[in-house]
Amino acid sequence: MMDRYTQSKDDYMHLRSLKFGGTKTSINWDNIMIHRILGKGTFGETYEAKLDGKIYALKRQKITEKEFKDWDSCVLPINRESEFFKWINGLSTNDQIFFMKMYAQRRYECDFEFEPIRGTQSDELTESKYCQDTLVEKKDHTIEKIIYQMDRKQIISAFCQMVYAIDLMHKSGYYHFDTKLDNICCTETKDPMITIGKYGKIKTHGIILSLIDYGQVLNQKFEMNDIENEMYRIAKICNVDLFLLIE
């Protein structure tokens, strides 16, 4: 089973270290241990992983040859996600907690076999021999899993936190476009209060929320297709996240 997640040392040529929190993080991908699968998406899977005694989430997805070779263009959705992580990196420490942190990313050749959950993958992607790994912060729960266990005070606090996080994105021209219960996570905390920007502090009631899964994030600087351009135009006029209305 573990052979599925193990690659030769030649596969690590495409290691990419990213600056986060003012420090440059370099990791040895050979030392990452996969514990269990956390979830399955349209283009890959997410696992619980352990590195140097710390627990992370590891997102592994299939990519095309074009995506494998192009790190910087905002044309490709997979690169838009990396661009959004850079935006998160530029936020204040207080605001970063409302989003998922990324620590490192790599692209490499692999034999990762993945069956799409909704049959949306093209032949080019299904037959591709390339993958991308993204090492990110692991959250405690998704709201989808615990919402019926939350009390009224926690729900009110969670609502305020999410409105603020989405407002932060909108003011910078970003739109999530996939805001739903399984893309909103929470971390348990003993801190009684949390800072909501210039609005001051609110009670956490034991949880801090964060948005995850940035594969659908749009921004005007991204090169978008006609449908995406129209979605962005409407969202900008209404100043809302359309998926909040749809779902």
Side-chain angles (χ1 to χ4, degrees):
M1 184 68 176
M2 289 301 296
D3 289 340
R4 180 180 178 185
Y5 309 110
T6 304
Q7 294 82 34
S8 68
K9 292 186 181 298
D10 292 340
D11 294 332
Y12 294 87
M13 294 174 59
H14 299 279
L15 171 66
R16 188 186 201 195
S17 296
L18 296 164
K19 289 184 178 180
F20 192 88
T23 61
K24 189 172 184 179
T25 303
S26 296
I27 68 167
N28 186 341
W29 294 91
D30 286 311
N31 292 338
I32 294 178
M33 298 296 295
I34 302 294
H35 283 183
R36 61 191 177 97
I37 188 169
L38 295 175
K40 187 172 182 179
T42 306
F43 304 111
E45 298 171 348
T46 301
Y47 315 100
E48 180 182 272
K50 189 174 184 179
L51 175 66
D52 298 332
K54 296 181 179 180
I55 300 297
Y56 298 88
L58 179 70
K59 180 180 179 181
R60 174 163 295 165
Q61 59 194 116
K62 295 271 285 188
I63 59 176
T64 64
E65 183 175 3
K66 182 179 181 181
E67 291 171 322
F68 175 74
K69 293 179 178 179
D70 185 354
W71 272 106
D72 301 314
S73 172
C74 287
V75 176
L76 301 171
I78 197 166
N79 291 337
R80 298 178 188 175
E81 185 174 25
S82 299
E83 177 69 22
F84 186 67
F85 276 119
K86 294 179 184 178
W87 175 81
I88 295 173
N89 186 41
L91 295 175
S92 68
T93 302
N94 286 336
D95 288 341
Q96 286 177 358
I97 62 175
F98 299 112
F99 301 93
M100 180 179 64
K101 302 175 185 177
M102 177 171 72
Y103 299 105
Q105 199 172 60
R106 65 167 179 167
R107 294 177 188 178
Y108 58 98
E109 294 187 31
C110 71
D111 57 356
F112 175 51
E113 297 180 1
F114 174 69
E115 293 294 331
I117 59 175
R118 290 188 290 270
T120 56
Q121 288 182 287
S122 65
D123 291 338
E124 180 185 14
L125 190 59
T126 303
E127 298 171 3
S128 174
K129 59 181 179 180
Y130 302 108
C131 295
Q132 175 169 285
D133 282 355
T134 306
L135 190 69
V136 299
E137 178 183 20
K138 183 181 179 297
K139 303 295 183 177
D140 293 331
H141 313 282
T142 63
I143 291 298
E144 182 181 40
K145 296 289 180 63
I146 68 165
I147 190 167
Y148 295 109
Q149 303 168 25
M150 296 168 65
D151 60 32
R152 180 175 178 274
K153 292 180 179 179
Q154 288 178 317
I155 290 174
I156 292 174
S157 177
F159 177 79
C160 293
Q161 291 179 42
M162 274 299 91
V163 168
Y164 179 67
I166 292 171
D167 186 53
L168 276 176
M169 292 181 62
H170 288 183
K171 286 180 176 177
S172 296
Y174 289 98
Y175 295 86
H176 192 283
F177 282 109
D178 202 12
T179 306
K180 53 188 178 181
L181 293 181
D182 57 351
N183 280 342
I184 302 174
C185 283
C186 73
T187 302
E188 296 177 5
T189 181
K190 294 182 180 179
D191 294 334
M193 307 292 288
I194 189 173
T195 301
I196 303 290
K198 64 181 180 181
Y199 305 106
K201 295 180 179 291
I202 65 170
K203 294 181 179 180
T204 64
H205 296 289
I207 59 172
I208 297 176
L209 263 63
S210 60
L211 283 167
I212 66 168
D213 197 353
Y214 308 128
Q216 300 297 318
V217 168
L218 294 183
N219 185 285
Q220 193 172 20
K221 65 182 176 181
F222 297 165
E223 184 174 329
M224 298 181 284
N225 59 39
D226 291 341
I227 296 175
E228 289 176 332
N229 274 315
E230 182 63 13
M231 292 171 67
Y232 182 87
R233 185 186 69 82
I234 295 172
K236 191 173 181 181
I237 292 173
C238 300
N239 195 30
V240 297
D241 192 317
L242 295 187
F243 274 80
L244 281 177
L245 301 180
I246 294 172
E247 298 172 347

